[in-house]
Amino acid sequence: MSTDVDKRIEIHVGDITAVVCDAIVNAANAALRPGGGVCGAIHRAAGPELAEACAEIGGCPTGEARHTAAFRLPARLVIHTVGPVWQGGDSHEHSLLASCYRGSLKIAAEQGARSIAFPAISTGVYGFPLVAATRVAVDSVRRILAEEPRLERVIFCVFGEEARRVYEAELDRGGPG
Ligand code: ADP
């Protein structure tokens, strides 16, 4: 399974707001307000209309996803998903993070997006250890791609060479089968 599926997965190092694809995923906060990190960068690049569209939605629980237009970004959609804050690993952080990836991919497929870019959700201010978060990200994406032929391209957009090495190692490890 994973060989065919992995042909649809790419790693990109750099700013996610510059990635040209149908949908960009935002590592959002539960209030869906512009914050720091990747969320702040996405809001700055999209323009103030993005915060207005998010305010209309009102908020999003941890582990779920919502979508808006992408305004000035070179994408069609922004999918906002709220990752878990790391609390040591026994507070459902892994399943909540997997649910972020699943929910975002479900929205992308429903909205007709064929390509989607993810940042490393929860691995910044929210403190999820990068190696463990990468395993969840890659496993979740592989599982959905195996069932969802409409998704042609998933881009893991990471900040920095260390993160790239972690993603590459996880992809090299091979999938569940
Ligand atoms: P969270 O609150 O979910 O932890 P952060 O924005 O703090 O979200 O960080 C998530 C990840 O996004 C981190 O690995 C961080 O290095 C990365 N990141 C920050 N800015 C950008 C950006 N412009 N493009 C891509 N990734 C980014």
Side-chain angles (χ1 to χ4, degrees), residues 146-161:
E147 298 163 2
E148 185 45 86
R150 289 178 293 179
L151 296 168
E152 293 172 3
R153 210 171 138 226
V154 174
I155 302 146
F156 287 119
C157 179
V158 296
F159 238 26
E161 285 304 314

Side-chain angles (χ1 to χ4, degrees), residues 3-140:
T3 324
D4 179 48
V5 158
D6 283 2
K7 287 188 190 135
R8 291 143 70 198
I9 300 178
E10 291 167 31
I11 301 170
H12 175 89
V13 182
D15 182 358
I16 198 166
T17 65
V19 174
V20 179
C21 63
D22 294 335
I24 282 180
V25 178
N26 180 18
N29 51 67
L32 297 184
R33 293 218 178 87
V38 71
C39 182
I42 288 173
H43 275 272
R44 275 193 302 279
E49 297 92 340
L50 184 61
E52 288 164 22
C54 286
E56 275 176 32
I57 296 171
C60 177
T62 302
E64 294 191 18
R66 304 286 185 267
H67 71 279
T68 63
F71 303 100
R72 290 174 216 168
L73 288 163
R76 191 155 57 73
L77 291 177
V78 178
I79 298 173
H80 307 264
T81 190
V82 182
V85 176
W86 181 255
Q87 291 172 40
D90 293 328
S91 301
H92 310 289
E93 293 95 326
H94 295 82
S95 57
L96 287 165
L97 186 60
S99 166
C100 288
Y101 284 93
R102 271 199 311 274
S104 299
L105 291 168
K106 181 165 180 276
I107 290 176
E110 283 169 0
Q111 294 298 316
R114 288 184 298 196
S115 54
I116 177 171
F118 282 98
I121 300 163
S122 282
T123 66
V125 173
Y126 282 7
F128 206 121
L130 181 63
V131 172
T134 303
R135 183 149 300 180
V136 172
V138 170
D139 277 355
S140 309

